[in-house]
Amino acid sequence: MALTFSDKEFSACFQKYMLPASEKMVQMMLSYLIAKKGKPFELAVDVGCGTGRYTRPVAPHFEKVIGLDISESQINEARRSTSEKNVLYHTSPAEELPVKDASVDLLFAGVAVHWFILDKFMQEAARVLKPGGCLALHAFRLIFEIQYKDVSETLTAIITETMNVLLKYGDKADDVMNNQYGELFEAVPFADKQRTTDIPVMYPLSLADLMGFIQSIYMYQVFLKQDRDGATEFLQRVEKRFRDTLGESSHQATLEFHMTCFCILACKS
């Protein structure tokens, strides 16, 4: 799926519409690092950083943060969207991290590690982390729920049917996410590790936000590349179903968009 993520049109859409960083996930990473290593926090590295969704909220807690992604267009969007002076971005594969041995306090990847060549990335994690440094790998399941007044069941059915169509344009990496990184946990090379599943996260979204989020999912972009007319018509039908369900509330409604997140945390002894 590298070609999809390197597409300029998709990267701009991703930056505009993908859901923002979950404060809950950021605090989980930082609390774990405090417990295992303690301050000072010098260097954090965000691998597969995309447009910097998690790079930016982590930045205030570290002297320096480096965001890495294999996609130049994603990195360009990240640079345009970042004002923090202690953040640097580089185009780099996850399997060849451009940082020194034993130099990183926190190495993390949000909704990204399932795309990496796992054994090579884990070797790099062991190389670059300081003793006591921490690894954090988090993502969300592709199963969503929408709550709004008395039409929650219908709205949830629509988003579920929408995702079932988009999953036809997906990859085996989607299964890794829906299994909450169960198999991936075994590949983490540190004895001190934990996996937390079924973490509830809620975003308040307008209908416009929701439709934008659907467009920011890579599977929709694959659909769009293969059949632009078909994908566009599909999105229009989905929006009409949402509008018909919401009725007069469709323009001003604030929907509760619920997802399940999960996180692997590990410490290099």
Side-chain angles (χ1 to χ4, degrees):
M1 296 304 160
L3 290 176
T4 301
F5 285 98
S6 64
D7 182 85
K8 290 182 180 180
E9 181 181 350
F10 172 54
S11 294
C13 177
F14 190 88
Q15 167 57 22
K16 184 176 181 179
Y17 291 123
M18 178 51 70
L19 299 177
S22 163
E23 182 62 26
K24 185 181 292 188
M25 302 309 296
V26 172
Q27 289 305 316
M28 280 187 66
M29 293 191 292
L30 295 175
S31 296
Y32 185 80
L33 184 60
I34 289 171
K36 294 295 182 179
K37 178 187 175 296
K39 296 185 177 181
F41 296 163
E42 295 175 331
L43 177 61
V45 177
D46 183 0
V47 189
C49 68
T51 60
R53 290 187 313 124
Y54 277 87
T55 321
R56 292 186 291 273
V58 164
H61 304 278
F62 291 83
E63 292 179 17
K64 181 179 179 181
V65 180
I66 299 174
L68 305 173
D69 201 281
I70 198 170
S71 166
E72 185 174 354
S73 67
Q74 295 265 321
I75 288 294
N76 288 339
E77 288 290 340
R79 287 174 176 150
R80 281 192 284 268
S81 306
T82 300
S83 59
E84 290 80 1
K85 302 301 183 183
N86 64 330
V87 175
L88 296 174
Y89 291 104
H90 300 288
T91 304
S92 171
E95 300 80 14
E96 297 176 19
L97 303 178
V99 291
K100 296 179 181 179
D101 295 0
S103 64
V104 178
D105 295 285
L106 176 66
L107 184 71
F108 66 102
V111 200
V113 70
H114 46 276
W115 297 112
F116 302 166
I117 300 173
L118 204 55
D119 57 343
K120 292 184 178 180
F121 170 70
M122 292 301 179
Q123 290 172 12
E124 283 290 86
R127 178 182 69 81
V128 304
L129 282 172
K130 296 177 180 179
C134 296
L135 175 68
L137 310 170
H138 62 90
F140 54 82
R141 299 182 74 198
L142 296 168
I143 301 171
F144 310 121
E145 180 180 331
I146 302 173
Q147 294 184 6
Y148 183 75
K149 295 186 177 178
D150 60 348
V151 292
S152 300
E153 186 175 341
T154 302
L155 295 173
T156 297
I158 295 170
I159 192 64
T160 299
E161 291 167 22
T162 299
M163 290 305 301
N164 286 340
V165 171
L166 295 185
L167 283 167
K168 298 174 183 177
Y169 299 90
D171 185 271
K172 62 182 179 180
D174 304 326
D175 294 331
V176 178
M177 288 176 63
N178 279 334
N179 290 332
Q180 302 192 72
Y181 285 0
E183 306 92 330
L184 197 150
F185 179 71
E186 301 302 321
V188 175
F190 310 123
D192 189 352
K193 59 184 178 180
Q194 65 184 53
R195 182 171 72 108
T196 305
T197 60
D198 300 313
I199 305 165
V201 173
M202 189 278 285
Y203 291 93
L205 301 181
S206 67
L207 180 56
D209 294 333
L210 176 59
M211 297 311 300
F213 170 66
I214 293 170
Q215 293 175 72
S216 75
I217 298 172
Y218 88 92
M219 292 169 285
Y220 176 76
Q221 295 295 319
V222 173
F223 187 5
L224 195 65
K225 290 294 181 185
Q226 293 182 9
D227 181 4
R228 180 166 289 271
D229 290 342
T232 301
E233 291 172 6
F234 169 74
L235 196 68
Q236 291 171 345
R237 289 196 303 272
V238 170
E239 182 171 3
K240 184 178 185 302
R241 291 182 68 191
F242 279 128
R243 290 197 182 281
D244 289 347
T245 301
L246 292 168
E248 295 180 358
S249 301
S250 62
H251 293 291
Q252 71 271 15
T254 299
L255 312 175
E256 289 188 4
F257 187 79
H258 294 262
M259 61 169 55
T260 299
C261 295
F262 49 91
C263 187
I264 292 173
L265 299 167
C267 179
K268 178 181 175 181
S269 60

